[in-house]
């Protein structure tokens, strides 16, 4: 029996990679316009980095990590998110001496042992952005605006909703958790099993629960915004003022607490109604204190992660897959020898050219030209070699004309330029 891919792990097929390239290019263009530089990070790290960086009590660390012992006996983990590794690199390479904020982004696969479903995988991809060392609320607003500019660049902004919140500083959260528990405990029986367990372990996560039976309880929960210190309140007010100044629309959603322990103050999420249960396309927040917890300086930080699979799903199938511009059809060995250098010259000029190898009959090759969706076919057999001119056929109109072998590559290049084709 043939071996299949691991559950929850997908191949990204050639019919999809055009969209992936578009999404990645939009991410790079947007981030670089805001001054972010790319950093490429390892796919695995020491397990303790994630335990310390993400938090022992989070679902990710408790249940979802791919952890293994290597041959030297070290406990390693495939990265479930990028922030911890990026901060490890920030500290390790002394980025803190650079002008602040230090702006970095990275794109690549993440690994979480979650239950696979549409839009949720065990290997998935994120684009991650982090602005480090600058505590000012203007950074929060700019980071959020940049995230939305990425979606705008892809034409998706209108279909997405931006939610922002502040979860305050650690002390504010402690105060709030007491209030939240006072409210939740009497309602415990109305919550799902998972939330009943969360109640004692990580009660904030109850607010994140998507199970319908929990929603009435969650909706009436006290707002975390009422537990914020004056400083945290001020910070959040500023973030909102700057978003207003940027003309960026948003909804304040006090229930938005996010799943990771390290967030303080600003949190945000971009949601869609189009992907069923997996409605979060991107999320992020501020994490002042985390760099210090990982053994670095007391630098602040804010960042986000975009779920690229979900972005690609939203793009739908409207994108034309890349296809060659021309199929060169040699009929026989002598013609193959004439067309090989023509194909090469066209390709060197950036025209996507496909070449037959001389063994197939003309009707079969024309069928192939149709399947490939090329704009033109070039046909050359013994007669054409004798006359020094190949046949150039427009696949759309069926019109044919003769072009000398010497002029052929140049003619294909100028046709492709006219069409704006590759
Ligand atoms: P998080 O790192 O959990 O804040 O997730 C950030 C974004 O990554 C989410 O909004 C999703 O779009 C995406 N994401 C998280 N987990 C998965 C997964 N298992 N499969 C696909 N996308 C995911």
């Amino acid at each position: 029996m043939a071996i299949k891919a691991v559950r929850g792990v997908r191949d990204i097929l050639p019919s999809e990679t055009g969209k992936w390239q578009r999404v990645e290019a939009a991410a790079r263009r947007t981030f670089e316009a805001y001054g972010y530089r790319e950093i490429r990070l390892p796919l695995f790290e020491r397990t303790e980095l994630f335990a310390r960086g993400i938090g022992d009590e989070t679902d990710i660390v408790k249940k979802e990590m791919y952890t293994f012992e290597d041959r030297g006996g070290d406990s390693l983990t495939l990265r479930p998110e990028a922030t911890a590794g990026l901060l490890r690199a920030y500290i390790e390479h002394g980025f803190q001496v650079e002008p602040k904020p230090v702006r970095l982004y990275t794109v690549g696969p993440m690994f979480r042992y979650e239950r696979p479903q549409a839009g949720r995988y065990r290997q998935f991809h994120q684009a991650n952005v982090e602005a480090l060392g600058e505590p000012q609320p203007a950074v929060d607003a700019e980071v959020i605006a940049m995230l939305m500019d990425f979606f705008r660049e892809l034409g998706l902004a209108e279909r997405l909703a931006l939610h922002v919140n502040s979860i305050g500083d650690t002390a504010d959260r402690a105060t709030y958790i007491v209030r939240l528990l006072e409210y939740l405990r009497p309602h415990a029986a109305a919550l799902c099993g998972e939330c009943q367990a969360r109640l004692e372990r990580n009660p904030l996560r109850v607010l994140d629960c998507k199970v319908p039976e929990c929603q009435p309880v969650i909706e009436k929960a006290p707002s975390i915004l009422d537990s914020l210190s004056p400083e945290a309140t001020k910070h959040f007010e500023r973030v909102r003022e700057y978003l207003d100044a940027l003309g960026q629309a948003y909804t304040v959603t006090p229930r938005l607490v996010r799943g990771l322990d390290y967030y303080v103050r600003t949190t945000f999420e971009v949601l869609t109604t189009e992907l069923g249960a997996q409605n979060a396309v991107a999320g992020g927040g501020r994490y002042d204190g985390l760099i210090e917890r990982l053994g670095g300086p007391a630098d602040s930080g804010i960042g986000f992660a975009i779920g690229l699979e979900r972005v690609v799903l939203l793009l739908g199938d409207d994108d034309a897959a890349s296809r060659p511009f021309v199929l060169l059809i040699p009929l026989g060995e002598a013609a193959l020898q004439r067309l090989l250098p023509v194909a090469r010259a066209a390709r060197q000029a950036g025209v996507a050219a496909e070449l037959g190898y001389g063994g197939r009959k003309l009707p079969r090759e024309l069928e192939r030209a149709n399947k490939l969706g090329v704009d033109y076919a070039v046909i050359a057999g013994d007669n054409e070699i004798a006359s020094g001119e190949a046949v150039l056929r427009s696949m759309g109109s069926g019109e044919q004309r003769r072009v000398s072998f010497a002029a052929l590559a140049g003619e294909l290049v100028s046709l492709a330029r006219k069409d704006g084709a590759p």
Side-chain angles (χ1 to χ4, degrees), residues 351-362:
V351 176
E354 183 85 13
L355 177 68
Y357 296 112
R360 277 194 283 254
K361 295 255 180 315
L362 184 58

Side-chain angles (χ1 to χ4, degrees), residues 81 112 114 119-121 124 126 258 280-283 305-307 310:
E81 54 104 61
R112 293 184 196 171
E114 293 192 87
R120 190 160 80 193
Y121 311 98
F124 60 98
Q126 290 184 340
R258 315 257 314 123
V281 181
I306 304 168
R310 296 180 191 177

Side-chain angles (χ1 to χ4, degrees), residues 329-339 379-391 402-405:
I329 306 173
L331 303 168
E333 179 59 28
L336 174 59
Q337 301 230 6
R338 291 305 288 268
L339 290 183
I379 303 157
D382 293 340
N383 291 341
E384 285 72 27
I385 293 176
S387 72
E389 291 180 329
V391 173
R402 293 183 167 270
V403 179
S404 77
F405 283 101

